[in-house]
Amino acid sequence: MQIHGSYKISQIKAILNGILIGILAGSTVSMFRWAIQHLMTVMRYLYTQSLQQPIYLIGCVIINVSIALVVGGFLKQQPDIKGSGIPQVEGQLLGELDYSWWSVLWRKFVGGILAIGSGLYLGREGPSIQLGSTLGQGVARLFRQVGFDRQVLISSGAAAGLSAAFNAPIASTLFVLEEIYHNFSTNIWVVSLTSAITSDMVATDVFGLKPVLYMKSTPLPLKYFIWVLILGVILGVLGRCYQFVILRMSKWYRLTRLPWMINGVFPLLLVIPLGMFFPRLLGGGSDIILHLTVAGYSTMLLGLFFLIRFIFSMISYGSGLPGGIFLPILCLGGLIGAIVGNLAIEFHLMPALYFSSFIIMGMAGYFAAISKAPFTAILLITEMVGTLTHLLGLACASLVAYAVIDLLDGRPVYYSMLQQLLKTKAQFNLGKTVQIMETVYAGSEMDGQIVSRIKWPSGSLLTKIQRNGREIVPSGNTLVRWGDTLYINVSTNNQLKITHQLTKLTKET
């Protein structure tokens, strides 16, 4: 009964932590979204006005170069704000790297607003995930949670961040389990779902109940599902092309011979003419997705939009500026679906009534292929579009695209990005960790203390305890005893200092 009661108390504490993280992440990401939307509105106005008044063009150049230099300074100070942030979160949960939560939080927040709000083809969802995870890390530090308990809070923060970005709490939880954590542990999903729902409530209060990508649509009948198979194959092939290019952009950027911190100057100057002539294509892509169903674009124009979005998405992300690929991937998938649907309609092989179904299936299938997370793709689009009637089409397109990219030897894009990140960090010795072992002596400061009450040095993470020949996965309530061998991941940046501090804690006083 005592163990059962203790377990219940532990679960209640975890859920309360999830609610706290959800409130913090929901509030932070809502401010992040609001600021990006308003800055984007201002920049779109300046870009379009530049066609008539050259003084606006000069102003745009000055503003965007200033953004590149400011964000470049942030990147130099804290390289872990680079890109979407999802590979960094994965690496943190795998124990491969660690970073200061506050240092990343505010720089990612400000840098992401400036980079995405300028109109670059970057998404808010990756930065939102990292913002949420750093808040989870901050809560873990506040309550002195380490080991598995700390990982659960970081995971729940990631789910809360994505939920607030897209108002999709179920898909956000599944994304953490399927893509980031690769684990369906009860402890993880309960806290992640709690934080995601809480975060969604906060974001809904700010932005309303309407789904992010709501569009009127009619589900595709089974007699037209041959087009779903064709669409799935195309999505899989083009998804592999996307993976191939985006994973090589950092190498191609080296040809500019600019310091990597200010690579953003190039896309921030290039976005000005794009904003002047194609203002609807700016940003992550939600604007053009919502406009596809009513604009009546020709197939040729849709193809042009796809090429522009594909090329400049690569240039934007490859620069290293804070911003994600999640929404840009959905935009590209929607455009592919629109092109296939348009062709079927133009050849009178399908009624125009089902055009929007292809946009919806294209978004799901393209994301499923590139991320290799089909369950997340299906649920995410379902929640973002606000209808369950397309589930069969979403599932078929996603599975076909997944199978095709698997045959083409494609790997999950975020996992591949993490491997590149770890290789870079190893090369420059940025944030790499090593595992050390410390034996706890009788009478030491650690002897008889529970994990959450020990003053662990910054940059250290307890991962395992070996006691009497058996291994224990530690939690905040685990008791540390003399004779225990502790396995601790330590940052190489301050390895000697951290090791010395740990030795003082484990040796006899």
Side-chain angles (χ1 to χ4, degrees):
M1 289 297 292
Q2 187 177 0
I3 294 174
H4 183 65
S6 176
Y7 175 76
K8 278 191 172 182
I9 292 171
S10 176
Q11 286 290 89
I12 292 170
K13 285 182 179 178
I15 290 171
L16 290 174
N17 284 336
I19 293 172
L20 174 60
I21 292 170
I23 293 171
L24 293 172
S27 302
T28 302
V29 173
S30 293
M31 288 189 288
F32 188 67
R33 282 178 62 178
W34 184 90
I36 288 171
Q37 287 177 7
H38 284 74
L39 179 57
M40 182 87 69
T41 300
V42 172
M43 296 307 297
R44 183 180 281 120
Y45 172 79
L46 293 177
Y47 295 149
T48 52
Q49 287 298 308
S50 299
L51 282 172
Q52 287 84 32
Q53 303 181 52
I55 188 67
Y56 281 94
L57 179 59
I58 296 170
C60 289
V61 171
I62 293 172
I63 290 170
N64 284 12
V65 170
S66 299
I67 289 174
L69 296 176
V70 169
V71 180
F74 289 168
L75 285 164
K76 185 176 182 180
Q77 296 163 0
Q78 180 52 267
D80 286 305
I81 68 167
K82 182 180 180 181
S84 75
I86 295 176
Q88 289 90 328
V89 175
E90 286 193 13
Q92 198 173 35
L93 291 173
L94 291 171
E96 296 286 351
L97 55 90
D98 206 359
Y99 44 77
S100 170
W101 72 276
W102 175 248
S103 176
V104 167
L105 178 66
W106 77 264
R107 288 182 176 87
K108 190 80 171 190
F109 184 87
V110 177
I113 291 170
L114 294 175
I116 303 168
S118 68
L120 294 182
Y121 293 4
L122 298 171
R124 63 177 181 261
E125 65 302 314
S128 298
I129 288 172
Q130 191 173 23
L131 290 173
S133 73
T134 55
L135 287 165
Q137 185 183 342
V139 171
R141 184 175 179 85
L142 176 65
F143 294 118
R144 297 181 180 178
Q145 299 293 301
V146 296
F148 181 72
D149 290 343
R150 179 177 183 264
Q151 290 182 326
V152 169
L153 296 184
I154 293 173
S155 301
S156 65
L162 182 56
S163 179
F166 281 160
N167 294 107
I170 309 301
S172 301
T173 304
L174 189 59
F175 180 76
V176 167
L177 300 174
E178 184 181 25
E179 171 61 33
I180 293 182
Y181 208 82
H182 309 289
N183 193 313
F184 284 77
S185 163
T186 302
N187 289 333
I188 296 169
W189 77 255
V190 166
V191 184
S192 295
L193 182 60
T194 301
S195 63
I197 291 173
T198 306
S199 178
D200 182 52
M201 288 179 178
V202 176
T204 298
D205 186 58
V206 177
F207 298 101
L209 286 167
K210 188 176 181 180
V212 175
L213 294 179
Y214 175 76
M215 61 181 74
K216 293 181 180 180
S217 58
T218 303
L220 193 70
L222 284 174
K223 62 181 179 180
Y224 296 118
F225 262 53
I226 183 64
W227 286 101
V228 180
L229 300 179
I230 294 170
L231 176 62
V233 172
I234 295 171
L235 291 168
V237 172
L238 292 179
R240 187 69 185 96
C241 294
Y242 184 97
Q243 289 182 338
F244 180 86
V245 176
I246 203 163
L247 294 173
R248 286 159 178 78
M249 281 306 300
S250 58
K251 293 181 181 178
W252 295 341
Y253 253 98
R254 292 173 196 165
L255 299 176
T256 65
R257 299 190 179 277
L258 288 172
W260 71 270
M261 296 82 69
I262 58 170
N263 279 339
V265 171
F266 180 56
L268 281 163
L269 289 177
L270 189 56
V271 76
I272 297 173
L274 287 172
M276 292 165 63
F277 296 101
F278 302 100
R280 196 173 290 281
L281 293 182
L282 292 177
S286 57
D287 193 25
I288 185 64
I289 291 172
L290 293 172
H291 203 65
L292 286 175
T293 56
V294 295
Y297 294 124
S298 67
T299 303
M300 186 172 294
L301 191 57
L302 288 171
L304 175 64
F305 286 171
F306 175 80
L307 285 175
I308 293 172
R309 289 281 323 179
F310 185 93
I311 294 169
F312 196 60
S313 292
M314 298 298 171
I315 294 171
S316 297
Y317 190 81
S319 68
L321 291 169
I325 58 172
F326 214 125
L327 189 54
I329 286 174
L330 298 185
C331 181
L332 289 171
L335 286 168
I336 295 169
I339 292 168
V340 174
N342 240 20
L343 287 172
I345 293 165
E346 286 175 1
F347 286 101
H348 306 290
L349 299 172
M350 186 187 70
L353 177 67
Y354 305 116
F355 175 70
S356 57
S357 296
F358 279 80
I359 299 171
I360 295 169
M361 291 185 294
M363 288 190 290
Y366 205 53
F367 181 78
I370 292 169
S371 67
K372 302 198 76 173
F375 288 109
T376 299
I378 295 165
L379 273 179
L380 180 69
I381 300 306
T382 298
E383 287 189 282
M384 291 180 72
V385 173
T387 177
L388 293 168
T389 57
H390 295 279
L391 276 175
L392 185 58
L394 292 176
C396 289
S398 298
L399 289 174
V400 171
Y402 181 93
V404 169
I405 205 167
D406 210 38
L407 289 172
L408 297 174
D409 199 30
R411 297 185 179 183
V413 70
Y414 291 117
Y415 175 80
S416 300
M417 287 177 175
L418 172 61
Q419 299 309 307
Q420 288 186 343
L421 177 65
L422 294 176
K423 185 177 179 180
T424 302
K425 283 184 173 290
Q427 181 180 354
F428 294 101
N429 196 27
L430 298 171
K432 186 179 179 182
T433 62
V434 294
Q435 189 175 74
I436 65 170
M437 293 184 294
E438 290 284 348
T439 301
V440 179
Y441 284 74
S444 67
E445 190 173 335
M446 278 194 187
D447 184 21
Q449 295 286 332
I450 62 173
V451 167
S452 61
R453 293 183 180 174
I454 296 170
K455 296 179 180 178
W456 298 94
S458 177
S460 64
L461 176 65
L462 177 66
T463 59
K464 183 173 66 176
I465 298 175
Q466 191 170 58
R467 181 181 296 164
N468 299 326
R470 61 190 184 91
E471 293 182 352
I472 299 171
V473 178
S475 68
N477 295 321
T478 302
L479 186 69
V480 177
R481 301 173 182 172
W482 67 269
D484 287 350
T485 300
L486 309 180
Y487 290 77
I488 306 168
N489 285 351
V490 172
S491 171
T492 55
N493 290 338
N494 297 299
Q495 184 178 347
L496 291 176
K497 181 181 176 181
I498 297 170
T499 303
H500 179 68
Q501 291 173 335
L502 289 169
T503 302
K504 287 177 65 176
L505 290 170
T506 55
K507 295 298 184 286
E508 185 176 353
T509 56

